[in-house]
Amino acid sequence: MGSQAAKRVKVLVLNCGSSSLKYEVFEMPKRESLGKGLVERIGEKGSFLQQTSPKGTMRIEESMPDHGKAMARVAQALVDPASGILDSIGEIEAIGHRVV
C-alpha cells in the first residue's frame, strides 16, 4: 500500500504592470519553475518579449500596443518549437495573477 503520487499541474503566473507583463510557469506541487519571461514597453516604442527556459533564451522585438497583443505574443512564445516552455498551451491547468 504506497501513497498515491501527487498530480503534476502546470500553472502560469502573471504580473501585469502599466507597461509590462511578467510571467512564469511552475510545475506544482513541486513549485519547480519551468521557465519565465517578460514583455516590456507595452504601448511604447521599443516593445520586446524576452523568455528563458531550459531550451534557451529568446528575444522578440516588435510593436505591442496593448496588453492583449502582449498576452497573445506570450502564448506564442510559451509553445515556440525552438525555445518554448510548453509543448501545448493546453498543458496549463491554472492561471494566477499577482495583485498588489
Side-chain angles (χ1 to χ4, degrees):
M1 310 237 150
S3 65
Q4 193 173 20
K7 181 182 178 194
R8 294 174 153 184
V9 176
K10 292 177 182 164
V11 177
L12 173 63
V13 178
L14 302 170
N15 181 358
C16 296
S18 60
S19 64
S20 68
L21 189 164
K22 297 175 186 172
Y23 61 96
E24 192 161 0
V25 177
F26 291 94
E27 185 172 86
M28 302 300 284
K30 296 186 313 183
R31 299 182 188 172
E32 177 185 351
S33 176
L34 302 178
K36 61 184 175 179
L38 70 138
V39 181
E40 291 282 355
R41 304 185 59 81
I42 298 170
E44 304 172 14
K45 284 187 172 191
S47 302
F48 68 91
L49 176 146
Q50 185 165 321
Q51 176 176 283
T52 304
S53 77
K55 292 181 179 178
T57 298
M58 68 186 305
R59 183 179 171 102
I60 299 165
E61 297 183 20
E62 66 181 46
S63 175
M64 293 188 226
D66 55 43
H67 283 74
K69 171 69 175 171
M71 193 61 221
R73 197 63 182 100
V74 166
Q76 292 173 339
L78 286 171
V79 296
D80 181 79
S83 302
I85 296 171
L86 304 168
D87 292 327
S88 164
I89 205 75
E91 292 179 57
I92 296 171
E93 293 191 46
I95 299 174
H97 185 269
R98 181 175 180 263
V99 178
V100 179

PDB file of all heavy atoms in Angstrom, residues 5-31:
ATOM      1  N   ALA A   5       0.898   9.066  -5.882  1.00  0.00           N
ATOM      2  CA  ALA A   5       1.716  10.203  -6.308  1.00  0.00           C
ATOM      3  C   ALA A   5       0.825  11.422  -6.541  1.00  0.00           C
ATOM      4  O   ALA A   5      -0.280  11.307  -7.062  1.00  0.00           O
ATOM      5  CB  ALA A   5       2.465   9.844  -7.594  1.00  0.00           C
ATOM      6  N   ALA A   6       1.332  12.583  -6.156  1.00  0.00           N
ATOM      7  CA  ALA A   6       0.588  13.830  -6.353  1.00  0.00           C
ATOM      8  C   ALA A   6       0.523  14.149  -7.840  1.00  0.00           C
ATOM      9  O   ALA A   6       1.477  13.940  -8.582  1.00  0.00           O
ATOM     10  CB  ALA A   6       1.272  14.967  -5.601  1.00  0.00           C
ATOM     11  N   LYS A   7      -0.620  14.653  -8.271  1.00  0.00           N
ATOM     12  CA  LYS A   7      -0.796  15.023  -9.671  1.00  0.00           C
ATOM     13  C   LYS A   7       0.054  16.251  -9.981  1.00  0.00           C
ATOM     14  O   LYS A   7       0.071  17.216  -9.237  1.00  0.00           O
ATOM     15  CB  LYS A   7      -2.264  15.329  -9.956  1.00  0.00           C
ATOM     16  CG  LYS A   7      -2.507  15.696 -11.399  1.00  0.00           C
ATOM     17  CD  LYS A   7      -3.956  16.051 -11.661  1.00  0.00           C
ATOM     18  CE  LYS A   7      -4.094  16.446 -13.124  1.00  0.00           C
ATOM     19  NZ  LYS A   7      -5.350  17.107 -13.389  1.00  0.00           N
ATOM     20  N   ARG A   8       0.766  16.195 -11.095  1.00  0.00           N
ATOM     21  CA  ARG A   8       1.570  17.332 -11.536  1.00  0.00           C
ATOM     22  C   ARG A   8       0.673  18.288 -12.317  1.00  0.00           C
ATOM     23  O   ARG A   8      -0.011  17.873 -13.243  1.00  0.00           O
ATOM     24  CB  ARG A   8       2.717  16.868 -12.409  1.00  0.00           C
ATOM     25  CG  ARG A   8       3.712  16.035 -11.658  1.00  0.00           C
ATOM     26  CD  ARG A   8       4.728  15.483 -12.611  1.00  0.00           C
ATOM     27  NE  ARG A   8       5.979  15.257 -11.917  1.00  0.00           N
ATOM     28  CZ  ARG A   8       7.070  14.850 -12.502  1.00  0.00           C
ATOM     29  NH1 ARG A   8       7.090  14.628 -13.802  1.00  0.00           N
ATOM     30  NH2 ARG A   8       8.159  14.650 -11.816  1.00  0.00           N
ATOM     31  N   VAL A   9       0.707  19.544 -11.943  1.00  0.00           N
ATOM     32  CA  VAL A   9      -0.121  20.568 -12.565  1.00  0.00           C
ATOM     33  C   VAL A   9       0.776  21.726 -12.988  1.00  0.00           C
ATOM     34  O   VAL A   9       1.635  22.165 -12.226  1.00  0.00           O
ATOM     35  CB  VAL A   9      -1.196  21.079 -11.565  1.00  0.00           C
ATOM     36  CG1 VAL A   9      -2.005  22.213 -12.166  1.00  0.00           C
ATOM     37  CG2 VAL A   9      -2.098  19.945 -11.123  1.00  0.00           C
ATOM     38  N   LYS A  10       0.590  22.226 -14.202  1.00  0.00           N
ATOM     39  CA  LYS A  10       1.356  23.372 -14.679  1.00  0.00           C
ATOM     40  C   LYS A  10       0.515  24.630 -14.513  1.00  0.00           C
ATOM     41  O   LYS A  10      -0.634  24.693 -14.947  1.00  0.00           O
ATOM     42  CB  LYS A  10       1.781  23.173 -16.126  1.00  0.00           C
ATOM     43  CG  LYS A  10       2.810  22.053 -16.234  1.00  0.00           C
ATOM     44  CD  LYS A  10       3.227  21.762 -17.632  1.00  0.00           C
ATOM     45  CE  LYS A  10       4.208  20.589 -17.616  1.00  0.00           C
ATOM     46  NZ  LYS A  10       4.373  19.997 -18.915  1.00  0.00           N
ATOM     47  N   VAL A  11       1.113  25.622 -13.854  1.00  0.00           N
ATOM     48  CA  VAL A  11       0.425  26.857 -13.516  1.00  0.00           C
ATOM     49  C   VAL A  11       1.177  28.031 -14.147  1.00  0.00           C
ATOM     50  O   VAL A  11       2.401  28.136 -14.013  1.00  0.00           O
ATOM     51  CB  VAL A  11       0.368  27.048 -11.981  1.00  0.00           C
ATOM     52  CG1 VAL A  11      -0.287  28.372 -11.614  1.00  0.00           C
ATOM     53  CG2 VAL A  11      -0.358  25.884 -11.323  1.00  0.00           C
ATOM     54  N   LEU A  12       0.455  28.906 -14.828  1.00  0.00           N
ATOM     55  CA  LEU A  12       1.009  30.133 -15.389  1.00  0.00           C
ATOM     56  C   LEU A  12       0.710  31.261 -14.419  1.00  0.00           C
ATOM     57  O   LEU A  12      -0.444  31.492 -14.061  1.00  0.00           O
ATOM     58  CB  LEU A  12       0.376  30.436 -16.755  1.00  0.00           C
ATOM     59  CG  LEU A  12       0.725  31.771 -17.397  1.00  0.00           C
ATOM     60  CD1 LEU A  12       2.218  31.877 -17.706  1.00  0.00           C
ATOM     61  CD2 LEU A  12      -0.103  31.980 -18.664  1.00  0.00           C
ATOM     62  N   VAL A  13       1.746  31.951 -13.963  1.00  0.00           N
ATOM     63  CA  VAL A  13       1.593  33.070 -13.040  1.00  0.00           C
ATOM     64  C   VAL A  13       1.941  34.349 -13.783  1.00  0.00           C
ATOM     65  O   VAL A  13       3.001  34.445 -14.418  1.00  0.00           O
ATOM     66  CB  VAL A  13       2.498  32.893 -11.796  1.00  0.00           C
ATOM     67  CG1 VAL A  13       2.355  34.084 -10.865  1.00  0.00           C
ATOM     68  CG2 VAL A  13       2.163  31.601 -11.074  1.00  0.00           C
ATOM     69  N   LEU A  14       1.039  35.334 -13.714  1.00  0.00           N
ATOM     70  CA  LEU A  14       1.212  36.613 -14.407  1.00  0.00           C
ATOM     71  C   LEU A  14       1.357  37.744 -13.407  1.00  0.00           C
ATOM     72  O   LEU A  14       0.797  37.701 -12.318  1.00  0.00           O
ATOM     73  CB  LEU A  14      -0.014  36.914 -15.287  1.00  0.00           C
ATOM     74  CG  LEU A  14      -0.368  35.896 -16.355  1.00  0.00           C
ATOM     75  CD1 LEU A  14      -1.722  36.239 -16.950  1.00  0.00           C
ATOM     76  CD2 LEU A  14       0.704  35.861 -17.421  1.00  0.00           C
ATOM     77  N   ASN A  15       2.074  38.779 -13.814  1.00  0.00           N
ATOM     78  CA  ASN A  15       2.182  40.017 -13.048  1.00  0.00           C
ATOM     79  C   ASN A  15       2.174  41.146 -14.077  1.00  0.00           C
ATOM     80  O   ASN A  15       3.173  41.354 -14.772  1.00  0.00           O
ATOM     81  CB  ASN A  15       3.455  40.029 -12.214  1.00  0.00           C
ATOM     82  CG  ASN A  15       3.605  41.291 -11.388  1.00  0.00           C
ATOM     83  OD1 ASN A  15       2.774  42.199 -11.447  1.00  0.00           O
ATOM     84  ND2 ASN A  15       4.673  41.365 -10.611  1.00  0.00           N
ATOM     85  N   CYS A  16       1.054  41.827 -14.197  1.00  0.00           N
ATOM     86  CA  CYS A  16       0.914  42.895 -15.196  1.00  0.00           C
ATOM     87  C   CYS A  16       1.077  44.256 -14.545  1.00  0.00           C
ATOM     88  O   CYS A  16       0.450  44.539 -13.524  1.00  0.00           O
ATOM     89  CB  CYS A  16      -0.457  42.830 -15.866  1.00  0.00           C
ATOM     90  SG  CYS A  16      -0.722  41.334 -16.804  1.00  0.00           S
ATOM     91  N   GLY A  17       1.904  45.083 -15.171  1.00  0.00           N
ATOM     92  CA  GLY A  17       2.043  46.468 -14.764  1.00  0.00           C
ATOM     93  C   GLY A  17       1.483  47.358 -15.855  1.00  0.00           C
ATOM     94  O   GLY A  17       0.906  46.883 -16.833  1.00  0.00           O
ATOM     95  N   SER A  18       1.674  48.640 -15.731  1.00  0.00           N
ATOM     96  CA  SER A  18       1.104  49.569 -16.711  1.00  0.00           C
ATOM     97  C   SER A  18       1.745  49.423 -18.092  1.00  0.00           C
ATOM     98  O   SER A  18       1.086  49.617 -19.107  1.00  0.00           O
ATOM     99  CB  SER A  18       1.233  51.012 -16.224  1.00  0.00           C
ATOM    100  OG  SER A  18       2.601  51.334 -16.025  1.00  0.00           O
ATOM    101  N   SER A  19       3.026  49.050 -18.145  1.00  0.00           N
ATOM    102  CA  SER A  19       3.685  48.875 -19.446  1.00  0.00           C
ATOM    103  C   SER A  19       4.522  47.596 -19.505  1.00  0.00           C
ATOM    104  O   SER A  19       5.414  47.471 -20.331  1.00  0.00           O
ATOM    105  CB  SER A  19       4.577  50.084 -19.746  1.00  0.00           C
ATOM    106  OG  SER A  19       5.617  50.174 -18.794  1.00  0.00           O
ATOM    107  N   SER A  20       4.204  46.656 -18.616  1.00  0.00           N
ATOM    108  CA  SER A  20       4.964  45.404 -18.608  1.00  0.00           C
ATOM    109  C   SER A  20       4.059  44.224 -18.270  1.00  0.00           C
ATOM    110  O   SER A  20       2.972  44.394 -17.721  1.00  0.00           O
ATOM    111  CB  SER A  20       6.110  45.476 -17.599  1.00  0.00           C
ATOM    112  OG  SER A  20       5.591  45.526 -16.283  1.00  0.00           O
ATOM    113  N   LEU A  21       4.537  43.050 -18.619  1.00  0.00           N
ATOM    114  CA  LEU A  21       3.841  41.793 -18.308  1.00  0.00           C
ATOM    115  C   LEU A  21       4.928  40.768 -18.010  1.00  0.00           C
ATOM    116  O   LEU A  21       5.739  40.462 -18.880  1.00  0.00           O
ATOM    117  CB  LEU A  21       2.999  41.370 -19.510  1.00  0.00           C
ATOM    118  CG  LEU A  21       2.028  40.198 -19.351  1.00  0.00           C
ATOM    119  CD1 LEU A  21       1.042  40.206 -20.502  1.00  0.00           C
ATOM    120  CD2 LEU A  21       2.691  38.868 -19.249  1.00  0.00           C
ATOM    121  N   LYS A  22       4.967  40.300 -16.789  1.00  0.00           N
ATOM    122  CA  LYS A  22       5.940  39.284 -16.402  1.00  0.00           C
ATOM    123  C   LYS A  22       5.183  37.973 -16.192  1.00  0.00           C
ATOM    124  O   LYS A  22       4.031  37.993 -15.768  1.00  0.00           O
ATOM    125  CB  LYS A  22       6.658  39.685 -15.117  1.00  0.00           C
ATOM    126  CG  LYS A  22       7.467  40.953 -15.271  1.00  0.00           C
ATOM    127  CD  LYS A  22       8.064  41.394 -13.967  1.00  0.00           C
ATOM    128  CE  LYS A  22       8.745  42.746 -14.173  1.00  0.00           C
ATOM    129  NZ  LYS A  22       9.177  43.332 -12.923  1.00  0.00           N
ATOM    130  N   TYR A  23       5.842  36.852 -16.505  1.00  0.00           N
ATOM    131  CA  TYR A  23       5.177  35.564 -16.359  1.00  0.00           C
ATOM    132  C   TYR A  23       6.185  34.475 -16.031  1.00  0.00           C
ATOM    133  O   TYR A  23       7.372  34.598 -16.318  1.00  0.00           O
ATOM    134  CB  TYR A  23       4.389  35.211 -17.626  1.00  0.00           C
ATOM    135  CG  TYR A  23       5.230  35.082 -18.881  1.00  0.00           C
ATOM    136  CD1 TYR A  23       5.676  33.840 -19.325  1.00  0.00           C
ATOM    137  CD2 TYR A  23       5.580  36.204 -19.629  1.00  0.00           C
ATOM    138  CE1 TYR A  23       6.439  33.720 -20.473  1.00  0.00           C
ATOM    139  CE2 TYR A  23       6.340  36.098 -20.784  1.00  0.00           C
ATOM    140  CZ  TYR A  23       6.768  34.856 -21.200  1.00  0.00           C
ATOM    141  OH  TYR A  23       7.528  34.740 -22.334  1.00  0.00           O
ATOM    142  N   GLU A  24       5.663  33.418 -15.403  1.00  0.00           N
ATOM    143  CA  GLU A  24       6.476  32.256 -15.085  1.00  0.00           C
ATOM    144  C   GLU A  24       5.560  31.042 -15.052  1.00  0.00           C
ATOM    145  O   GLU A  24       4.404  31.132 -14.645  1.00  0.00           O
ATOM    146  CB  GLU A  24       7.168  32.444 -13.731  1.00  0.00           C
ATOM    147  CG  GLU A  24       8.233  31.428 -13.448  1.00  0.00           C
ATOM    148  CD  GLU A  24       9.216  31.865 -12.351  1.00  0.00           C
ATOM    149  OE1 GLU A  24       9.083  32.968 -11.800  1.00  0.00           O
ATOM    150  OE2 GLU A  24      10.126  31.069 -12.059  1.00  0.00           O
ATOM    151  N   VAL A  25       6.076  29.906 -15.508  1.00  0.00           N
ATOM    152  CA  VAL A  25       5.319  28.657 -15.490  1.00  0.00           C
ATOM    153  C   VAL A  25       5.940  27.756 -14.427  1.00  0.00           C
ATOM    154  O   VAL A  25       7.154  27.545 -14.420  1.00  0.00           O
ATOM    155  CB  VAL A  25       5.346  27.960 -16.870  1.00  0.00           C
ATOM    156  CG1 VAL A  25       4.600  26.629 -16.799  1.00  0.00           C
ATOM    157  CG2 VAL A  25       4.739  28.855 -17.943  1.00  0.00           C
ATOM    158  N   PHE A  26       5.091  27.259 -13.535  1.00  0.00           N
ATOM    159  CA  PHE A  26       5.533  26.377 -12.459  1.00  0.00           C
ATOM    160  C   PHE A  26       4.879  25.019 -12.608  1.00  0.00           C
ATOM    161  O   PHE A  26       3.743  24.915 -13.045  1.00  0.00           O
ATOM    162  CB  PHE A  26       5.134  26.941 -11.092  1.00  0.00           C
ATOM    163  CG  PHE A  26       5.871  28.180 -10.707  1.00  0.00           C
ATOM    164  CD1 PHE A  26       5.350  29.431 -10.976  1.00  0.00           C
ATOM    165  CD2 PHE A  26       7.099  28.095 -10.059  1.00  0.00           C
ATOM    166  CE1 PHE A  26       6.025  30.583 -10.618  1.00  0.00           C
ATOM    167  CE2 PHE A  26       7.784  29.239  -9.697  1.00  0.00           C
ATOM    168  CZ  PHE A  26       7.248  30.481  -9.975  1.00  0.00           C
ATOM    169  N   GLU A  27       5.629  23.988 -12.210  1.00  0.00           N
ATOM    170  CA  GLU A  27       5.029  22.670 -12.079  1.00  0.00           C
ATOM    171  C   GLU A  27       4.759  22.452 -10.605  1.00  0.00           C
ATOM    172  O   GLU A  27       5.680  22.521  -9.784  1.00  0.00           O
ATOM    173  CB  GLU A  27       5.954  21.583 -12.623  1.00  0.00           C
ATOM    174  CG  GLU A  27       5.285  20.217 -12.594  1.00  0.00           C
ATOM    175  CD  GLU A  27       6.093  19.159 -13.302  1.00  0.00           C
ATOM    176  OE1 GLU A  27       6.966  18.576 -12.634  1.00  0.00           O
ATOM    177  OE2 GLU A  27       5.865  18.959 -14.495  1.00  0.00           O
ATOM    178  N   MET A  28       3.510  22.220 -10.288  1.00  0.00           N
ATOM    179  CA  MET A  28       3.090  22.010  -8.915  1.00  0.00           C
ATOM    180  C   MET A  28       2.807  20.524  -8.717  1.00  0.00           C
ATOM    181  O   MET A  28       2.491  19.838  -9.677  1.00  0.00           O
ATOM    182  CB  MET A  28       1.829  22.841  -8.629  1.00  0.00           C
ATOM    183  CG  MET A  28       2.024  24.328  -8.855  1.00  0.00           C
ATOM    184  SD  MET A  28       3.303  25.046  -7.840  1.00  0.00           S
ATOM    185  CE  MET A  28       2.476  25.122  -6.260  1.00  0.00           C
ATOM    186  N   PRO A  29       2.907  19.994  -7.541  1.00  0.00           N
ATOM    187  CA  PRO A  29       3.127  20.704  -6.288  1.00  0.00           C
ATOM    188  C   PRO A  29       4.596  20.945  -5.947  1.00  0.00           C
ATOM    189  O   PRO A  29       4.909  21.480  -4.891  1.00  0.00           O
ATOM    190  CB  PRO A  29       2.492  19.768  -5.257  1.00  0.00           C
ATOM    191  CG  PRO A  29       2.699  18.408  -5.823  1.00  0.00           C
ATOM    192  CD  PRO A  29       2.605  18.582  -7.317  1.00  0.00           C
ATOM    193  N   LYS A  30       5.518  20.605  -6.843  1.00  0.00           N
ATOM    194  CA  LYS A  30       6.950  20.753  -6.547  1.00  0.00           C
ATOM    195  C   LYS A  30       7.403  22.214  -6.530  1.00  0.00           C
ATOM    196  O   LYS A  30       8.497  22.505  -6.073  1.00  0.00           O
ATOM    197  CB  LYS A  30       7.792  19.986  -7.570  1.00  0.00           C
ATOM    198  CG  LYS A  30       7.573  18.492  -7.544  1.00  0.00           C
ATOM    199  CD  LYS A  30       8.504  17.723  -8.459  1.00  0.00           C
ATOM    200  CE  LYS A  30       8.620  18.294  -9.831  1.00  0.00           C
ATOM    201  NZ  LYS A  30       9.472  17.527 -10.744  1.00  0.00           N
ATOM    202  N   ARG A  31       6.577  23.117  -7.088  1.00  0.00           N
ATOM    203  CA  ARG A  31       6.927  24.540  -7.204  1.00  0.00           C
ATOM    204  C   ARG A  31       8.174  24.745  -8.059  1.00  0.00           C
ATOM    205  O   ARG A  31       8.950  25.667  -7.840  1.00  0.00           O
ATOM    206  CB  ARG A  31       7.115  25.185  -5.840  1.00  0.00           C
ATOM    207  CG  ARG A  31       5.901  25.161  -4.981  1.00  0.00           C
ATOM    208  CD  ARG A  31       6.139  25.863  -3.673  1.00  0.00           C
ATOM    209  NE  ARG A  31       4.999  25.658  -2.796  1.00  0.00           N
ATOM    210  CZ  ARG A  31       4.966  26.007  -1.543  1.00  0.00           C
ATOM    211  NH1 ARG A  31       6.012  26.581  -0.997  1.00  0.00           N
ATOM    212  NH2 ARG A  31       3.907  25.791  -0.821  1.00  0.00           N
TER     213      ARG A  31
END
